[in-house]
Amino acid sequence: MLRKMQLPVFVVDAFTGEAFRGNPAAVCLLENELDEEMHQKIAREMNLSETAFIRKLHPTDSFTQSSRFGLRWFTPATEVPLCGHATLASSAVLFHKIKNVNQTVTFVTLSGELKARQAKDGIIMDLPLYPTHPKDVKEIQDLIKLGLGKVLVQDVRYSPDTKKLLVRLDDSYGRSFLENLEVNTGNLIQAENTGKVRGLILTLKGEGGGKSQGYDFYSRYFAPWVGVAEDPVTGSAHAVLSSYWSQQLGKKEMWAFQCSRRGGEMKISLQDGGRIDITGQTALVLEGNLTI
């Protein structure tokens, strides 16, 4: 009889300080190499928008003492090159649960090296900032009509690095309009099947003025192309949104809210060298072992 392997697993709600809000991610700690196909099987089993796998880079490494780890992210359908909320969740497991002794940890990923550091108001992630390019709204008329219905669009941008399409809704709309907007994700896939788009960001100008006066911008994020109909709170989308809204608002420090049903917030700070700091809170809601 084959010996079963026990794999430590955690579920963490990211970009929120309270359970059952924000974006849940599963985090697995890998003591040893895992069969390639097993990553996807586990992600399907966890059935969350993302499952993260933290692995040791060297056999002598320790989850408590080491400061560099490998990190991969899988949706139930596929591996993705970047996932902010699962990186935040992974950092929270290392810092708060495993009690990693370092103030900063570095993750080696498909998107290069990502750093996460402990702070008073949460965990700060250092992510790449992705520029956007103007796109003619006529090119995506079908996508908007079939997926969103009759909405007024103020601006359309495209991020070639991430294959994310950013659609800014008209400034006449308020937060409640975005929150209540029904999006037909099945139609999105029909309207855009070229492979050029892997995520749709809907965004809206906020009230501005920081947390006490309101948020600088709002968003929702849809990625049916990678098996995620709507993602509750998305770090990677904000690596695109921050580039856009920083230019629009003339600000490098912003406060953002993703108004999915669960909802979540983050603090944004643009850095030199095309990088962005995103600060978020976390709530650990589940821990156990996978038997594989």
Side-chain angles (χ1 to χ4, degrees):
M1 186 174 165
L2 287 173
R3 187 168 173 267
K4 298 277 188 180
M5 183 166 68
Q6 297 287 308
L7 201 64
V9 63
F10 306 85
V11 175
V12 179
D13 289 341
F15 296 118
T16 178
E18 56 183 295
F20 314 127
R21 289 184 61 78
N23 200 353
V27 178
C28 294
L29 296 178
L30 302 183
E31 289 280 355
N32 305 297
E33 285 291 322
L34 193 63
D35 173 66
E36 192 65 24
E37 192 184 343
M38 188 59 72
H39 292 83
Q40 193 61 68
K41 285 181 176 177
I42 291 171
R44 265 199 302 273
E45 185 74 14
M46 299 311 294
N47 201 31
L48 295 170
S49 60
E50 238 84 28
T51 296
F53 296 88
I54 309 174
R55 70 183 186 282
K56 295 177 179 180
L57 295 176
H58 308 286
T60 54
D61 285 352
S62 151
F63 287 122
T64 311
Q65 302 292 327
S66 301
S67 61
R68 285 170 61 83
F69 302 95
L71 184 63
R72 296 171 73 181
W73 311 276
F74 288 77
T75 75
T78 187
E79 184 172 12
V80 292
L82 178 65
C83 178
H85 87 276
T87 303
L88 186 64
S90 299
S91 310
V93 168
L94 289 174
F95 288 142
H96 304 324
K97 191 66 203 171
I98 308 301
K99 305 296 182 190
N100 187 285
V101 297
N102 299 285
Q103 195 63 31
T104 301
V105 293
T106 301
F107 295 114
V108 179
T109 80
L110 287 175
S111 291
E113 291 194 355
L114 308 179
K115 287 181 165 52
R117 64 186 188 274
Q118 302 190 62
K120 277 184 184 175
D121 53 349
I123 293 171
I124 303 171
M125 292 185 296
D126 163 38
L127 300 177
L129 185 69
Y130 294 112
T132 62
H133 305 292
K135 195 171 179 67
D136 190 342
V137 69
K138 289 175 185 170
E139 288 183 50
I140 62 159
Q141 268 181 336
D142 286 350
L143 182 141
I144 290 170
K145 190 177 175 183
L146 289 168
L148 311 180
K150 289 183 179 178
V151 295
L152 298 174
V153 171
Q154 183 124 346
D155 198 4
V156 179
R157 300 292 176 107
Y158 179 69
S159 160
D161 297 307
T162 63
K163 294 188 175 179
K164 286 177 174 37
L165 185 68
L166 183 154
V167 175
R168 176 181 173 182
L169 300 179
D170 193 82
D171 286 352
S172 63
Y173 296 127
R175 171 178 170 174
S176 61
F177 177 84
L178 180 59
E179 284 179 333
N180 295 316
L181 182 64
E182 290 189 17
V183 176
N184 188 320
T185 52
N187 282 356
L188 289 179
I189 298 175
Q190 287 181 5
E192 169 50 61
N193 56 13
T194 63
K196 288 181 181 174
V197 175
R198 286 172 69 83
L200 170 66
I201 303 168
L202 299 183
T203 188
L204 196 61
K205 187 178 179 182
E207 302 86 6
K211 191 177 182 183
S212 56
Q213 287 88 24
Y215 296 97
D216 291 293
F217 62 89
Y218 297 105
S219 66
R220 286 175 68 188
Y221 182 66
F222 305 87
W225 299 275
V226 295
V228 179
E230 178 170 8
D231 198 38
V233 200
T234 317
S236 62
H238 281 80
V240 176
L241 281 159
S242 302
S243 167
Y244 174 77
W245 282 112
S246 175
Q247 291 176 336
Q248 296 294 311
L249 302 174
K251 299 173 83 169
K252 287 196 169 184
E253 307 280 330
M254 293 174 286
W255 194 261
F257 188 83
Q258 191 160 329
C259 42
S260 62
R261 193 169 290 173
R262 290 175 66 103
E265 60 186 11
M266 62 191 78
K267 192 167 75 174
I268 289 157
S269 178
L270 272 72
Q271 305 298 311
D272 295 335
R275 308 291 294 181
I276 177 178
D277 277 355
I278 293 181
T279 306
Q281 294 184 319
T282 58
L284 176 70
V285 295
L286 186 75
E287 59 179 301
N289 287 295
L290 279 168
T291 305
I292 58 175

